[in-house]
Amino acid sequence: IKTIGVLTSGGDAPGMNAAIRAIVRQGITKDLRVKGIQRGFAGLLQGEFVDMKARGVSDTLQRGGTILGTARCPEFMTEEGQKLGAKICRENEIDGIVVIGGDGSFRGAQKLAALGINTIGIPGTIDLDIACTDYTIGFDTAVNTAMEAIDKVRDTSSSHERCSIIEVMGRGAGYIALWCGLANGAEDILLPEIYDYDEQKLVDNITRNFKRGKKHHIIINAEGIGHSTSMARRIEAATGIETRATILGHMQRGGSPTCKDRVFATTMGCKAVDLLCEGASNRIIAIKNGELVDYDIDEALAMKKSIPEYFYQISRNLAI
Ligand code: ATP
């Protein structure tokens, strides 16, 4: 192979730039031309390519976001869109593409692979909701950002003896909520995978806690449950305890990646180039039991992952 492309797709995540930099420089080291494809599959269909040079990725390792931009591209969900994408790759002599994104992006990569363009996926999402891997680029940074923000809310919540509902991202998955729940010592964690929507239990728990002398009651609410503001109103009415909702929102997606995100994004980026050089296609890179491994995309997309209920149980035991 002579030329490879790299794109970021779906939601952005801190550490994506570290992966792009690694792909570009590992590619150059292996005598490849590397083309950056802007705005994910949308940019691919528009032929938005930039030649990536070693110096072009200088000073990006430590920056959040993605220098290539990202987008959602409904057109790529169609067969015509996918065929057009493969045609554009061939016209631009792109022999292989590294796709950094989530499950949806991997489905796009799978379609390109079936059309003869070699593809390698790298898991990039703050949500940690990719079944085949214990690690996804951005989760570590996002969870540290959320943890620090929650510490700050807790300070003021304790001073005013309030109940705080803090909503964290994660879409349908509760990993950010669970990790923050443990890291911040939350009194309650509401996870889409576990929460039974019984608000009376929450109300009883809050009342009991304040009677026990607690100065705050922190509830970490996952995005997949949501409705934090209306929940706060109902809880305040039921308990008589001032209750505020804080929705952390997109701040969790930004910022300089942590060491872990930089190191794993870098190693995954290099591994993706190595795999393309070996002629591999339709693979996803993953971290499993601390090892860098790769799986067939079809197999990886069929895998299931469940929230560690023991972690949740621990949070319950310690919130006394
Ligand atoms: P995140 O977890 O951050 O949302 P994602 O990769 O799962 O990332 P999606 O919006 O699901 O995000 O997918 C990103 C893009 O991948 C889509 O806009 C579309 O272009 C492409 N894609 C998604 N699903 C498919 C599919 N079934 N076939 C082809 N392309 C797809």
Side-chain angles (χ1 to χ4, degrees):
I1 64 167
K2 292 200 177 77
T3 306
I4 61 169
V6 51
L7 61 81
T8 48
S9 169
D12 67 337
M16 282 183 165
N17 286 327
I20 295 167
R21 168 184 174 272
I23 291 159
V24 170
R25 293 196 175 168
Q26 180 81 341
I28 291 169
T29 302
K30 300 212 159 200
D31 292 326
L32 300 173
R33 283 176 64 203
V34 185
K35 286 184 190 274
I37 301 164
Q38 290 172 321
R39 300 192 308 109
F41 293 114
L44 172 65
L45 296 186
Q46 299 295 319
E48 293 174 23
F49 301 131
V50 274
D51 283 319
M52 306 293 283
K53 304 285 181 221
R55 290 288 74 70
V57 288
S58 297
D59 213 22
T60 60
L61 174 65
Q62 77 284 14
R63 280 164 47 198
T66 158
I67 54 168
L68 291 174
T70 184
R72 314 230 183 234
C73 175
E75 196 188 343
F76 206 75
M77 314 276 268
T78 67
E79 217 181 301
E80 304 86 82
Q82 293 150 16
K83 283 186 176 155
L84 177 62
K87 181 168 165 270
I88 291 172
C89 284
R90 271 190 281 275
E91 282 168 1
N92 287 274
E93 297 173 332
I94 294 175
D95 310 305
I97 292 194
V98 183
V99 173
I100 308 167
D103 279 346
S105 305
F106 298 150
R107 288 202 173 85
Q110 189 183 36
K111 302 289 165 34
L112 274 181
L115 292 164
I117 307 299
N118 287 356
T119 57
I120 305 291
I122 295 183
T125 169
I126 64 165
D127 303 334
L128 199 67
D129 60 349
I130 297 177
C132 70
T133 184
D134 299 337
Y135 164 84
T136 62
I137 295 176
F139 173 75
D140 191 58
T141 306
V143 92
N144 275 288
T145 301
M147 180 190 75
E148 285 172 19
I150 294 164
D151 280 344
K152 293 184 171 94
V153 176
R154 183 187 176 129
D155 287 346
T156 170
S157 194
S158 305
S159 307
H160 287 268
E161 301 192 21
R162 274 187 197 131
C163 171
S164 286
I165 302 177
I166 304 164
E167 188 173 316
V168 297
M169 289 183 91
R171 292 196 306 179
Y175 295 98
I176 297 179
L178 178 59
W179 279 62
C180 285
L182 283 169
N184 294 97
E187 276 67 32
D188 274 295
I189 314 174
L190 313 185
L191 306 173
E193 296 89 343
I194 290 174
Y195 181 50
D196 61 5
Y197 295 86
D198 184 347
E199 242 168 60
Q200 191 54 47
K201 276 195 217 157
L202 276 181
V203 165
D204 294 344
N205 208 13
I206 294 162
T207 311
R208 194 168 48 238
N209 265 339
F210 276 89
K211 276 200 191 125
R212 279 202 293 233
K214 283 210 181 214
K215 297 274 181 239
H216 61 251
H217 188 105
I218 305 285
I219 301 172
I220 309 289
N221 186 25
E223 183 183 7
I225 291 168
H227 304 291
S228 298
T229 309
S230 53
M231 197 187 288
R233 272 198 298 270
R234 287 193 300 274
I235 286 178
E236 180 166 310
T239 59
I241 293 162
E242 194 183 1
T243 303
R244 296 280 172 89
T246 305
I247 298 167
L248 297 184
H250 278 144
M251 65 164 329
Q252 294 159 93
R253 289 248 289 256
S256 180
T258 57
C259 177
K260 182 172 178 177
D261 274 327
R262 296 181 199 194
V263 170
F264 282 157
T266 297
T267 48
M268 285 183 157
C270 289
K271 176 84 177 168
V273 175
D274 292 350
L275 286 175
L276 283 175
C277 288
E278 289 164 18
S281 181
N282 203 46
R283 311 288 299 172
I284 294 182
I285 298 175
I287 300 281
K288 216 58 200 163
N289 306 319
E291 300 274 331
L292 199 56
V293 294
D294 57 284
Y295 296 106
D296 181 82
I297 294 188
D298 309 21
E299 248 175 62
L301 289 175
M303 291 181 189
K304 297 268 175 287
K305 183 175 191 173
S306 53
I307 202 100
E309 290 202 21
Y310 183 59
F311 281 32
Y312 178 74
Q313 195 48 53
I314 287 171
S315 79
R316 307 284 70 240
N317 296 349
L318 302 187
I320 50 175

